[in-house]
Amino acid sequence: MVRATADRRRSAETVHSAETVHSGHVIEENVIRLFDELRVPLLRYLAGFPLTIQDSEDVIQEVFLALFDYLRRGKSHQNVRGWLFRAAHNQALKKHLRSRKDVENAGTLVAVEELVADPAPNAEAQFAFNQTQKRLLSVVRAIPEQNRWCLYLRAEGLRYREIAEVLDISLGSVSLYLERSLAHIARAAER
């Protein structure tokens, strides 16, 4: 009887272990899929922080490792996209505070944005486009940091509620910051 109980206990542990391995494999596949889907949007968002590309890549790796651990421990995975942006935001702030580097991130932002080719019909049109782009980029850089983060997150497709969660601000603040930022950009575009 003692032997039968021990055998059943071992059998249950083996099943639990197999379920854990299977569950871990499914979680790993989901995290890899999310990494493939959200790496570039997260990288674009992190371009708004004074971090080097390498530091931004490190932040993304740390965030996805944290997500894997978080999910493996059985934590809730509602709104994983918002969780990832919030974690990336916090990690970027920590990395910036630790390094105290004031690296100009304009080259990083331009490098990410230039990955998309823009076929201009002629040199004059290209020159005018470049001037407008430089002016708008300088306007975006002049926008207060919190407003700029709201703008970047909205450009990545996050809803107002998700932006509020990521930046830990009220929904009304998100709306106000975006309204001010877009009005500022629109005025600059009219010039």
Side-chain angles (χ1 to χ4, degrees), residues 156-186:
E156 291 303 331
L158 272 73
R159 297 181 315 246
Y160 282 33
R161 187 169 309 285
E162 291 172 318
I163 295 169
E165 289 173 12
V166 168
L167 299 178
D168 196 26
I169 58 177
S170 72
L171 197 56
S173 294
V174 171
S175 179
L176 182 64
Y177 292 160
L178 285 172
E179 181 181 332
R180 287 179 182 169
S181 299
L182 293 173
H184 196 67
I185 291 169

Side-chain angles (χ1 to χ4, degrees), residues 21-47:
V21 168
H22 176 69
S23 176
H25 183 67
V26 170
I27 291 171
E28 182 179 348
E29 287 177 357
N30 287 335
V31 170
I32 289 170
R33 180 186 51 76
L34 284 168
F35 180 83
D36 292 341
E37 179 184 324
L38 295 174
R39 180 185 161 273
V40 172
L42 284 166
L43 190 58
R44 278 193 304 253
Y45 176 64
L46 293 175

Side-chain angles (χ1 to χ4, degrees), residues 60-190:
I60 290 171
Q61 288 178 7
E62 290 168 13
V63 165
F64 276 96
L65 180 60
L67 175 65
F68 179 74
D69 288 339
Y70 181 80
L71 294 175
R72 196 177 58 190
R73 285 182 275 138
K75 300 289 184 174
S76 171
H77 53 281
Q78 302 289 340
N79 191 14
V80 173
R81 181 183 171 101
W83 188 95
L84 284 168
F85 274 92
R86 177 68 182 169
H89 179 89
N90 290 341
Q91 284 292 337
L93 287 176
K94 287 178 187 175
K95 187 169 276 297
H96 172 62
L97 291 175
R98 278 192 308 259
S99 67
R100 295 285 186 183
K101 293 179 184 175
D102 291 327
V103 176
E104 179 65 31
N105 216 15
T108 304
L109 182 58
V110 172
V112 171
E113 291 172 351
E114 286 177 352
L115 294 176
V116 179
D118 181 30
N122 60 42
E124 291 172 359
Q126 186 65 40
F127 178 76
F129 174 79
N130 287 342
Q131 291 301 103
T132 302
Q133 189 176 26
K134 285 179 184 177
R135 186 174 64 247
L136 290 176
L137 192 54
S138 67
V139 167
V140 169
R141 282 191 204 122
I143 293 173
E145 190 174 65
Q146 194 82 327
N147 297 29
R148 204 170 46 244
W149 288 338
C150 286
L151 198 60
Y152 289 158
L153 289 170
R154 185 66 184 134
E156 291 303 331
L158 272 73
R159 297 181 315 246
Y160 282 33
R161 187 169 309 285
E162 291 172 318
I163 295 169
E165 289 173 12
V166 168
L167 299 178
D168 196 26
I169 58 177
S170 72
L171 197 56
S173 294
V174 171
S175 179
L176 182 64
Y177 292 160
L178 285 172
E179 181 181 332
R180 287 179 182 169
S181 299
L182 293 173
H184 196 67
I185 291 169
R187 281 193 304 275
E190 290 174 358

